Amino acid sequence: MADFWSGIAWPLIIIVAQILLIVLPLLGAVAYLTYAERKVIGAIQLRKGPNVVGPFGLLQPIADGVKLLLKETVIPTGADRAVFVLAPLLTFILAMIGWAVIPFDEGWVLADINVGVLYLLAISGLGVYGIIMAGWASNSRYALLGGLRSAAQMVSYEISMGLIIISVLMTAGTLNLSEIVRAQGEGVWYVIPHLPMFVIFVVSILAETNRAPFDLPEAEAELVSGYNVEYSAMTFALFFLGEYANMILMSAIAVVLFLGGWLPPLDIAPFTWVPGIIWFALKICLILFVFLWVRATFPRFRYDQLMRLGWKVFLPLSLIWVVLTAGVLVTFDLLPA
Amino acid sequence: MIHALTFYLFAAIAVVSAFMVVLNRNPVHSVLWLILTFFNGAGLFVLMGAEFVAMLVVVVYVGAVAVLFLFVVMMLDINMLSLREGMLQYVPVGAAIAIILAVEVGLLFLDWSFAGEAMSLRAAPTPDAGEVTNTEALGNLIYTQYVYLFQVAGLVLLVAMIGAIVLTLRINPNVRRQDIGRQISRPKSQVLAVRKVRSRGGI
């Protein structure tokens, strides 16, 4: 019995506690990201944004959540029930499990696996299923078109993202995310040597998360709301949570790969007093602000322009950069051991 | 014990979902079951310590190949009734093929013996898994010992890709295409005209 307790039950309790410690703050972050989005876009458009529920409208996300909980879940008659319900669950779960390998601070990581980067690529590659399944199962024209667009878009941008990640991996010499951050601590943050790739990566994650100006899957002017048009109440809420959790996850990946993860900007006194997790959160907020800023600034891309940008601009550029990085690393003998 | 339990869990789900791929009436459901099968296969790889291969299975098969499958199957307009109509007609042929295959595979396994030097060849192609991560081990092998084979595989894929493009590319001269280079290289004088418009006069 003692063996059972110390061998199985106790580690299980610890890991469940760790998972809750990641997921609960994440859900809070998602809720307040929607609030921040409305406030930021409001400020950019010289409006006030939500300001009625609670002080400064701070309780607005909670009110929205309660509203979604209390609404009725409608499943269309022609829908494929099982797949219809599975799709939002899948989107939500995938947005959560990616966080398992993200290092929040030195040693603060749920699963410190050696193929962390590949795991994240795999998880973000699966994200497309939630959307394509929703589009098909709804049995509606708009939803199907939205799902198809999104599938093509995500597959296209994943390729250039993969190549950008390869450049970073070559510089760091490891697939482990914590090691990548440590390698940046010894050298420079990779945003400096890989600045063009950082820009392309940020644009690609906009496309990967279906955010403006690449939000064609849910282009409200032509597709009403795209893949999630038939969804209501909790099923819609799961899509919504998944989409925003994915935004935060992608920002976290960008921070880990390019902005030095939990590291302070300068390794001197006032900066090192702040704990690493705060730096990590601040950097994520910076990239999330870019997400919102871009949404309020740029008009939506046309579909053929989106494909052109992915395949004819980003793919060759990132491919050249991989070759260039390898060449520079070998020529100047900078390869990590 | 947990290790064995997880193995049986992954293996059982893999087998059941593989059966569901074949037994399902709805082709989209079949593809979804196929994805589950791939996923459990990846889980089995992780249990074997081949984490790199596991992730590649998910990235390549689930993340890319199966998406294209799903894409195609979703666009097909299949009438289930007409598909089932000729079923009895095909049963004898199908059964014959299945029996022949089963007999052949059975014969093969009954008469299977390892070559004398097979085991020694199999031993130690890579350093021990405890010393290097398996990404590193694979890289060391592919880019040194098997570099030519690796390059040939790349060339085969390239040829297949070019072939697919050649087969599907149709250039229709009647379609108006956007040439971004030409658009942005036009001088202001060609595209912009400032006019003073008299009230109620029009241009």
Side-chain angles (χ1 to χ4, degrees), chain A residues 173-250:
Chain A
T174 172
L175 285 161
N176 183 316
L177 290 166
S178 308
E179 294 289 334
I180 291 176
V181 174
R182 277 181 214 123
Q184 293 179 66
E186 285 155 22
V188 288
W189 292 3
Y190 291 149
V191 65
I192 297 168
H194 292 301
L195 183 63
M197 288 304 105
F198 176 65
V199 174
I200 292 184
F201 191 80
V202 170
V203 179
S204 295
I205 62 178
L206 287 177
E208 188 75 9
T209 48
N210 295 324
R211 291 288 300 181
F214 306 112
D215 54 347
L216 288 143
E218 40 198 303
E220 55 268 22
E222 27 190 306
L223 290 183
V224 196
S225 173
Y227 64 90
N228 59 19
V229 66
E230 303 289 346
Y231 283 85
S232 59
M234 268 328 276
T235 47
F236 175 77
L238 284 177
F239 268 125
F240 200 73
L241 286 173
E243 187 185 326
Y244 279 79
N246 242 335
M247 278 166 66
I248 307 180
L249 177 66
M250 287 292 170

Coordinates of all heavy atoms in Angstrom, one line a residue, chain A residues 173-250:
Chain A
G173 N 21.2 24.5 -31.3 CA 21.8 23.2 -31.2 C 21.0 22.2 -30.3 O 21.5 21.2 -29.9
T174 N 19.7 22.5 -30.1 CA 18.9 21.6 -29.3 C 17.4 21.7 -29.7 O 17.0 22.8 -30.2 CB 19.1 21.8 -27.8 OG1 18.2 21.1 -27.1 CG2 18.9 23.3 -27.5
L175 N 16.6 20.7 -29.4 CA 15.2 20.8 -29.6 C 14.4 21.0 -28.3 O 13.2 21.1 -28.3 CB 14.7 19.5 -30.2 CG 15.0 19.2 -31.7 CD1 14.8 17.7 -32.0 CD2 14.0 20.0 -32.5
N176 N 15.2 21.1 -27.2 CA 14.6 21.3 -25.9 C 14.4 22.8 -25.6 O 15.3 23.6 -25.7 CB 15.5 20.7 -24.8 CG 14.9 20.7 -23.4 OD1 14.4 21.8 -23.0 ND2 15.1 19.7 -22.7
L177 N 13.1 23.2 -25.3 CA 12.8 24.6 -25.2 C 13.6 25.3 -24.1 O 14.0 26.4 -24.3 CB 11.3 24.8 -25.0 CG 10.4 24.4 -26.2 CD1 9.0 24.3 -25.8 CD2 10.6 25.4 -27.3
S178 N 13.8 24.6 -22.9 CA 14.5 25.2 -21.8 C 16.0 25.5 -22.3 O 16.6 26.5 -22.0 CB 14.5 24.4 -20.6 OG 13.2 24.0 -20.3
E179 N 16.5 24.5 -23.0 CA 17.9 24.6 -23.5 C 18.0 25.8 -24.5 O 19.0 26.5 -24.5 CB 18.4 23.3 -24.1 CG 18.5 22.1 -23.2 CD 19.7 22.3 -22.3 OE1 20.6 22.9 -22.6 OE2 19.6 21.7 -21.2
I180 N 17.0 25.9 -25.3 CA 17.0 27.1 -26.3 C 17.1 28.4 -25.5 O 17.9 29.3 -25.9 CB 15.8 27.0 -27.2 CG1 15.9 25.8 -28.1 CG2 15.7 28.3 -28.0 CD1 14.7 25.6 -29.0
V181 N 16.3 28.5 -24.4 CA 16.4 29.8 -23.7 C 17.7 29.9 -23.0 O 18.3 31.0 -23.1 CB 15.2 29.8 -22.6 CG1 15.4 31.0 -21.7 CG2 13.9 29.7 -23.3
R182 N 18.3 28.8 -22.5 CA 19.6 29.0 -21.8 C 20.7 29.3 -22.8 O 21.5 30.1 -22.5 CB 20.0 27.6 -21.1 CG 19.3 27.5 -19.8 CD 19.7 26.2 -19.1 NE 18.5 25.8 -18.3 CZ 17.9 24.6 -18.4 NH1 18.4 23.8 -19.3 NH2 16.9 24.4 -17.7
A183 N 20.6 28.8 -24.1 CA 21.5 29.1 -25.1 C 21.4 30.6 -25.4 O 22.5 31.3 -25.7 CB 21.3 28.3 -26.4
Q184 N 20.2 31.2 -25.3 CA 20.1 32.6 -25.6 C 20.7 33.4 -24.4 O 21.2 34.5 -24.6 CB 18.6 33.0 -25.8 CG 18.1 32.4 -27.0 CD 16.6 32.8 -27.2 OE1 16.2 33.9 -27.4 NE2 15.7 31.8 -27.1
G185 N 20.7 32.8 -23.2 CA 21.3 33.5 -22.1 C 22.8 33.6 -22.2 O 23.4 34.6 -21.8
E186 N 23.4 32.6 -22.8 CA 24.8 32.6 -23.0 C 25.2 33.5 -24.1 O 26.3 34.2 -24.1 CB 25.4 31.2 -23.2 CG 25.4 30.4 -21.9 CD 25.3 28.9 -22.2 OE1 25.6 28.5 -23.4 OE2 24.9 28.1 -21.4
G187 N 24.4 33.6 -25.2 CA 24.7 34.4 -26.3 C 23.9 35.6 -26.3 O 23.8 36.4 -25.3
V188 N 23.2 35.9 -27.4 CA 22.2 37.0 -27.5 C 20.9 36.4 -27.8 O 20.7 35.3 -28.2 CB 22.6 38.0 -28.6 CG1 23.8 38.8 -28.3 CG2 22.7 37.3 -29.9
W189 N 19.8 37.2 -27.5 CA 18.5 36.7 -27.8 C 18.4 36.6 -29.3 O 19.0 37.4 -30.1 CB 17.4 37.8 -27.4 CG 17.3 37.9 -26.0 CD1 18.0 37.3 -25.0 CD2 16.4 38.8 -25.3 NE1 17.6 37.6 -23.8 CE2 16.6 38.6 -23.9 CE3 15.4 39.6 -25.7 CZ2 15.8 39.2 -23.0 CZ3 14.6 40.3 -24.8 CH2 14.8 40.1 -23.4
Y190 N 17.7 35.5 -29.8 CA 17.8 35.2 -31.2 C 17.0 36.3 -32.1 O 17.1 36.2 -33.3 CB 17.3 33.8 -31.5 CG 18.2 32.8 -31.0 CD1 17.7 31.6 -30.5 CD2 19.6 33.0 -30.9 CE1 18.6 30.6 -30.0 CE2 20.4 32.1 -30.4 CZ 19.9 30.9 -29.9 OH 20.8 30.0 -29.4
V191 N 16.3 37.2 -31.4 CA 15.6 38.2 -32.2 C 16.7 39.1 -32.9 O 16.4 39.6 -34.0 CB 14.7 39.0 -31.3 CG1 15.4 39.8 -30.3 CG2 13.9 39.9 -32.2
I192 N 17.9 39.2 -32.4 CA 18.9 40.0 -33.0 C 19.5 39.4 -34.2 O 19.4 40.0 -35.3 CB 20.0 40.4 -31.9 CG1 19.3 41.3 -30.8 CG2 21.1 41.2 -32.6 CD1 20.1 41.5 -29.6
P193 N 20.1 38.2 -34.1 CA 20.6 37.6 -35.4 C 19.5 37.2 -36.4 O 19.8 37.2 -37.6 CB 21.4 36.4 -34.9 CG 20.9 36.1 -33.6 CD 20.5 37.3 -33.0
H194 N 18.4 36.8 -35.9 CA 17.3 36.3 -36.8 C 16.2 37.3 -36.9 O 15.0 36.9 -37.0 CB 16.7 35.0 -36.2 CG 17.7 33.9 -36.2 ND1 18.3 33.4 -37.4 CD2 18.2 33.1 -35.2 CE1 19.1 32.4 -37.1 NE2 19.1 32.2 -35.8
L195 N 16.5 38.6 -36.9 CA 15.4 39.6 -36.9 C 14.4 39.4 -38.0 O 13.2 39.4 -37.8 CB 16.0 41.0 -36.9 CG 14.9 42.1 -36.8 CD1 14.1 42.1 -35.5 CD2 15.5 43.5 -37.0
P196 N 14.9 39.2 -39.3 CA 13.9 39.1 -40.4 C 13.0 37.9 -40.1 O 11.8 37.9 -40.4 CB 14.7 38.8 -41.6 CG 16.1 39.3 -41.3 CD 16.2 39.2 -39.8
M197 N 13.5 36.8 -39.6 CA 12.7 35.6 -39.3 C 11.7 35.8 -38.2 O 10.6 35.3 -38.2 CB 13.6 34.4 -38.9 CG 14.4 33.9 -40.1 SD 13.4 33.4 -41.5 CE 13.7 34.7 -42.6
F198 N 12.1 36.7 -37.2 CA 11.2 37.0 -36.1 C 10.0 37.7 -36.7 O 8.8 37.3 -36.4 CB 11.9 37.9 -35.1 CG 11.0 38.3 -34.0 CD1 10.5 37.4 -33.1 CD2 10.7 39.7 -33.9 CE1 9.6 37.8 -32.1 CE2 9.8 40.1 -32.9 CZ 9.3 39.2 -32.0
V199 N 10.2 38.6 -37.6 CA 9.1 39.3 -38.2 C 8.2 38.3 -39.0 O 7.0 38.3 -38.8 CB 9.6 40.4 -39.2 CG1 8.4 41.1 -39.9 CG2 10.4 41.5 -38.4
I200 N 8.8 37.5 -39.8 CA 8.0 36.5 -40.6 C 7.3 35.6 -39.6 O 6.1 35.2 -39.9 CB 8.9 35.7 -41.5 CG1 9.4 36.7 -42.6 CG2 8.2 34.6 -42.2 CD1 10.3 36.0 -43.7
F201 N 7.9 35.2 -38.5 CA 7.3 34.3 -37.6 C 6.1 34.9 -37.0 O 5.0 34.3 -36.9 CB 8.3 33.9 -36.5 CG 7.9 32.8 -35.6 CD1 8.0 31.5 -36.0 CD2 7.3 33.0 -34.4 CE1 7.5 30.4 -35.2 CE2 6.9 32.0 -33.6 CZ 7.0 30.7 -34.0
V202 N 6.2 36.2 -36.6 CA 5.0 36.8 -36.0 C 3.9 36.9 -37.0 O 2.7 36.7 -36.7 CB 5.4 38.2 -35.4 CG1 4.2 39.0 -35.0 CG2 6.3 38.1 -34.3
V203 N 4.2 37.3 -38.3 CA 3.1 37.3 -39.3 C 2.5 35.9 -39.5 O 1.3 35.8 -39.6 CB 3.7 37.9 -40.6 CG1 2.6 37.9 -41.6 CG2 4.2 39.2 -40.4
S204 N 3.4 34.9 -39.5 CA 2.9 33.5 -39.7 C 2.0 33.1 -38.5 O 1.0 32.4 -38.7 CB 4.1 32.5 -39.8 OG 4.8 32.8 -40.9
I205 N 2.3 33.5 -37.3 CA 1.4 33.1 -36.2 C 0.1 33.8 -36.3 O -0.9 33.2 -35.8 CB 2.1 33.2 -34.8 CG1 2.4 34.6 -34.4 CG2 3.2 32.3 -34.6 CD1 3.0 34.6 -33.0
L206 N 0.1 35.0 -36.8 CA -1.2 35.6 -37.1 C -2.1 34.7 -38.0 O -3.2 34.5 -37.8 CB -1.0 37.0 -37.7 CG -0.5 38.1 -36.9 CD1 -0.3 39.4 -37.8 CD2 -1.4 38.4 -35.8
A207 N -1.4 34.2 -39.1 CA -2.1 33.4 -40.0 C -2.5 32.1 -39.4 O -3.6 31.5 -39.6 CB -1.3 33.2 -41.3
E208 N -1.6 31.5 -38.6 CA -1.8 30.2 -38.0 C -3.0 30.2 -37.0 O -3.7 29.2 -36.8 CB -0.5 29.8 -37.3 CG -0.5 28.4 -36.8 CD -0.3 27.4 -37.9 OE1 0.0 27.8 -39.0 OE2 -0.4 26.2 -37.6
T209 N -3.2 31.4 -36.3 CA -4.2 31.4 -35.3 C -5.5 32.1 -36.0 O -6.4 32.4 -35.2 CB -3.8 32.3 -34.1 OG1 -3.2 33.5 -34.6 CG2 -2.8 31.5 -33.3
N210 N -5.5 32.2 -37.3 CA -6.7 32.8 -38.0 C -7.0 34.2 -37.4 O -8.2 34.5 -37.2 CB -7.9 31.9 -37.9 CG -7.6 30.6 -38.6 OD1 -7.0 30.6 -39.6 ND2 -8.1 29.5 -38.0
R211 N -6.1 35.0 -37.2 CA -6.3 36.3 -36.7 C -6.3 37.3 -37.8 O -5.6 37.1 -38.8 CB -5.3 36.7 -35.6 CG -5.4 35.9 -34.3 CD -6.6 36.3 -33.6 NE -6.6 37.8 -33.2 CZ -7.5 38.4 -32.5 NH1 -8.6 37.7 -32.1 NH2 -7.4 39.6 -32.2
A212 N -6.9 38.5 -37.6 CA -6.8 39.6 -38.6 C -5.3 39.9 -38.8 O -4.6 39.9 -37.8 CB -7.5 40.8 -38.1
P213 N -4.8 40.3 -40.0 CA -5.6 40.4 -41.2 C -5.7 39.1 -42.0 O -6.1 39.1 -43.2 CB -4.7 41.4 -42.0 CG -3.3 41.1 -41.6 CD -3.4 40.6 -40.1
F214 N -5.5 38.0 -41.4 CA -5.7 36.7 -42.1 C -6.9 35.9 -41.6 O -6.9 34.7 -41.6 CB -4.4 35.8 -41.9 CG -3.1 36.5 -42.2 CD1 -2.2 36.9 -41.3 CD2 -2.9 36.8 -43.6 CE1 -1.0 37.5 -41.6 CE2 -1.7 37.5 -43.9 CZ -0.8 37.8 -43.0
D215 N -7.9 36.6 -41.1 CA -9.0 35.9 -40.5 C -10.1 35.5 -41.5 O -11.3 35.6 -41.3 CB -9.7 36.7 -39.4 CG -10.1 38.1 -39.8 OD1 -9.6 38.5 -40.9 OD2 -10.8 38.8 -39.1
L216 N -9.6 35.0 -42.7 CA -10.5 34.6 -43.8 C -11.4 33.5 -43.4 O -12.6 33.5 -43.9 CB -9.7 34.2 -45.0 CG -9.0 35.4 -45.6 CD1 -7.6 35.0 -46.1 CD2 -9.9 35.9 -46.7
P217 N -11.1 32.5 -42.5 CA -12.0 31.5 -42.2 C -13.3 32.0 -41.6 O -14.3 31.4 -41.6 CB -11.2 30.6 -41.2 CG -9.8 30.9 -41.6 CD -9.7 32.3 -42.0
E218 N -13.2 33.2 -40.9 CA -14.4 33.7 -40.3 C -14.7 35.1 -40.8 O -15.4 35.8 -40.1 CB -14.2 33.7 -38.8 CG -12.9 34.2 -38.3 CD -12.6 33.8 -36.8 OE1 -13.4 34.2 -36.0 OE2 -11.6 33.1 -36.6
A219 N -14.3 35.3 -42.0 CA -14.6 36.6 -42.6 C -16.1 36.9 -42.6 O -16.9 36.3 -43.3 CB -14.1 36.6 -44.1
E220 N -16.5 37.8 -41.7 CA -17.9 38.0 -41.4 C -18.6 38.6 -42.6 O -19.8 38.4 -42.8 CB -18.2 38.8 -40.2 CG -17.5 40.2 -40.1 CD -16.2 40.1 -39.5 OE1 -15.6 39.0 -39.5 OE2 -15.7 41.1 -39.0
A221 N -17.9 39.3 -43.5 CA -18.6 40.0 -44.6 C -19.0 38.9 -45.7 O -20.0 39.1 -46.4 CB -17.7 41.0 -45.2
E222 N -18.2 37.9 -45.8 CA -18.6 36.9 -46.9 C -19.1 35.6 -46.3 O -19.9 34.9 -47.0 CB -17.3 36.7 -47.8 CG -16.1 37.0 -47.0 CD -14.8 37.0 -47.8 OE1 -14.6 36.1 -48.5 OE2 -14.1 38.0 -47.6
L223 N -18.5 35.1 -45.2 CA -18.9 33.8 -44.7 C -19.7 33.9 -43.4 O -19.8 32.9 -42.7 CB -17.6 33.0 -44.4 CG -16.8 32.6 -45.6 CD1 -15.6 31.8 -45.1 CD2 -17.7 31.8 -46.5
V224 N -20.3 35.0 -43.1 CA -21.1 35.3 -41.9 C -20.1 35.1 -40.7 O -19.8 36.1 -40.1 CB -22.2 34.3 -41.7 CG1 -23.2 34.8 -40.7 CG2 -23.0 34.1 -43.0
S225 N -19.7 33.9 -40.3 CA -18.7 33.7 -39.3 C -17.9 32.5 -39.6 O -17.1 32.1 -38.7 CB -19.4 33.6 -37.9 OG -18.5 33.3 -37.0
G226 N -18.0 31.9 -40.7 CA -17.2 30.8 -41.1 C -17.5 29.6 -40.4 O -18.6 29.2 -40.1
Y227 N -16.4 28.8 -40.0 CA -16.6 27.5 -39.5 C -17.5 27.4 -38.2 O -18.1 26.4 -38.0 CB -15.2 26.9 -39.2 CG -14.4 27.5 -38.1 CD1 -14.6 27.1 -36.8 CD2 -13.6 28.6 -38.4 CE1 -13.9 27.8 -35.8 CE2 -12.9 29.2 -37.4 CZ -13.0 28.8 -36.1 OH -12.3 29.4 -35.1
N228 N -17.5 28.5 -37.4 CA -18.3 28.3 -36.2 C -19.7 29.0 -36.2 O -20.3 29.2 -35.2 CB -17.5 28.9 -35.0 CG -17.2 30.4 -35.2 OD1 -17.8 31.0 -36.0 ND2 -16.2 30.8 -34.5
V229 N -20.2 29.1 -37.5 CA -21.5 29.8 -37.6 C -22.6 29.1 -37.0 O -23.6 29.7 -36.5 CB -21.8 30.2 -39.1 CG1 -22.0 29.0 -39.9 CG2 -22.9 31.1 -39.2
E230 N -22.6 27.8 -37.0 CA -23.7 27.0 -36.4 C -23.6 26.7 -34.9 O -24.4 26.1 -34.3 CB -23.8 25.6 -37.1 CG -23.9 25.7 -38.6 CD -25.3 26.2 -39.0 OE1 -26.2 26.2 -38.2 OE2 -25.5 26.6 -40.2
Y231 N -22.5 27.2 -34.3 CA -22.3 26.9 -32.9 C -22.9 27.9 -32.0 O -22.9 29.1 -32.3 CB -20.8 26.7 -32.7 CG -20.2 25.4 -33.2 CD1 -19.8 25.3 -34.5 CD2 -20.1 24.3 -32.3 CE1 -19.3 24.1 -34.9 CE2 -19.6 23.1 -32.8 CZ -19.2 23.0 -34.1 OH -18.7 21.8 -34.6
S232 N -23.3 27.4 -30.8 CA -23.9 28.4 -29.8 C -23.4 28.0 -28.5 O -22.9 26.9 -28.3 CB -25.4 28.3 -29.9 OG -25.8 27.0 -29.7
A233 N -23.7 28.8 -27.5 CA -23.4 28.5 -26.1 C -22.0 27.9 -25.8 O -21.0 28.4 -26.3 CB -24.5 27.7 -25.5
M234 N -22.0 26.8 -25.1 CA -20.7 26.3 -24.6 C -19.9 25.8 -25.8 O -18.6 25.9 -25.7 CB -20.9 25.1 -23.6 CG -21.0 25.5 -22.2 SD -20.0 26.9 -21.8 CE -18.4 26.1 -21.5
T235 N -20.5 25.2 -26.8 CA -19.6 24.7 -27.9 C -18.9 25.9 -28.5 O -17.7 25.9 -28.9 CB -20.5 24.0 -28.9 OG1 -21.6 24.8 -29.2 CG2 -20.9 22.6 -28.4
F236 N -19.6 27.0 -28.7 CA -19.0 28.2 -29.2 C -17.9 28.8 -28.3 O -16.8 29.1 -28.7 CB -20.0 29.3 -29.5 CG -19.4 30.6 -29.9 CD1 -19.0 30.8 -31.2 CD2 -19.3 31.7 -29.0 CE1 -18.4 31.9 -31.6 CE2 -18.7 32.8 -29.4 CZ -18.2 33.0 -30.7
A237 N -18.3 28.7 -27.0 CA -17.3 29.2 -26.0 C -16.0 28.4 -26.0 O -14.9 29.0 -25.9 CB -17.9 29.1 -24.6
L238 N -16.1 27.1 -26.3 CA -14.9 26.3 -26.3 C -14.0 26.7 -27.5 O -12.8 26.8 -27.4 CB -15.2 24.8 -26.4 CG -15.7 24.2 -25.1 CD1 -16.1 22.8 -25.4 CD2 -14.6 24.3 -24.1
F239 N -14.7 27.0 -28.7 CA -13.9 27.5 -29.8 C -13.2 28.8 -29.5 O -12.1 29.1 -29.8 CB -14.9 27.8 -31.0 CG -15.0 26.6 -31.9 CD1 -16.2 26.1 -32.2 CD2 -13.8 26.0 -32.5 CE1 -16.3 25.0 -33.1 CE2 -14.0 24.9 -33.3 CZ -15.2 24.4 -33.6
F240 N -14.0 29.7 -28.8 CA -13.5 31.0 -28.5 C -12.3 30.9 -27.6 O -11.3 31.5 -27.8 CB -14.7 31.7 -27.8 CG -14.5 33.2 -27.8 CD1 -14.7 33.9 -29.0 CD2 -14.2 33.9 -26.7 CE1 -14.5 35.3 -29.0 CE2 -14.0 35.2 -26.7 CZ -14.2 36.0 -27.8
L241 N -12.5 30.1 -26.5 CA -11.4 29.9 -25.5 C -10.2 29.3 -26.3 O -9.0 29.7 -26.0 CB -11.8 28.9 -24.4 CG -12.8 29.5 -23.4 CD1 -13.2 28.4 -22.5 CD2 -12.1 30.6 -22.6
G242 N -10.4 28.3 -27.1 CA -9.3 27.6 -27.8 C -8.6 28.6 -28.7 O -7.3 28.6 -28.7
E243 N -9.3 29.5 -29.4 CA -8.7 30.4 -30.3 C -7.8 31.4 -29.5 O -6.6 31.6 -29.9 CB -9.7 31.2 -31.1 CG -9.1 32.1 -32.1 CD -10.2 33.0 -32.8 OE1 -11.3 32.5 -33.0 OE2 -9.8 34.1 -33.2
Y244 N -8.3 31.9 -28.4 CA -7.5 32.9 -27.6 C -6.4 32.2 -26.9 O -5.3 32.7 -26.8 CB -8.4 33.6 -26.7 CG -9.1 34.8 -27.4 CD1 -10.2 34.5 -28.2 CD2 -8.6 36.1 -27.4 CE1 -10.8 35.5 -28.9 CE2 -9.2 37.1 -28.1 CZ -10.3 36.8 -28.9 OH -10.9 37.8 -29.6
A245 N -6.6 30.9 -26.4 CA -5.5 30.2 -25.7 C -4.4 29.9 -26.7 O -3.2 30.0 -26.4 CB -6.0 28.9 -25.1
N246 N -4.8 29.7 -28.0 CA -3.8 29.4 -29.0 C -3.0 30.7 -29.3 O -1.8 30.6 -29.6 CB -4.6 29.0 -30.3 CG -4.2 27.6 -30.7 OD1 -3.0 27.2 -30.4 ND2 -5.0 27.0 -31.5
M247 N -3.7 31.8 -29.3 CA -2.9 33.1 -29.5 C -1.8 33.2 -28.4 O -0.7 33.6 -28.7 CB -3.9 34.3 -29.4 CG -4.6 34.6 -30.6 SD -5.9 35.8 -30.2 CE -5.0 37.2 -29.7
I248 N -2.2 33.0 -27.2 CA -1.2 33.1 -26.1 C -0.1 32.1 -26.2 O 1.0 32.4 -26.1 CB -1.9 33.0 -24.7 CG1 -3.1 33.9 -24.6 CG2 -1.0 33.2 -23.6 CD1 -3.8 33.9 -23.3
L249 N -0.5 30.8 -26.6 CA 0.5 29.8 -26.8 C 1.5 30.2 -27.9 O 2.7 30.0 -27.7 CB -0.2 28.5 -27.2 CG 0.7 27.3 -27.5 CD1 1.5 26.9 -26.2 CD2 -0.1 26.1 -28.0
M250 N 1.0 30.6 -29.0 CA 1.9 31.0 -30.1 C 2.8 32.2 -29.7 O 4.0 32.2 -30.0 CB 1.0 31.4 -31.3 CG 0.4 30.3 -32.0 SD 1.6 29.2 -32.8 CE 0.7 27.8 -33.3

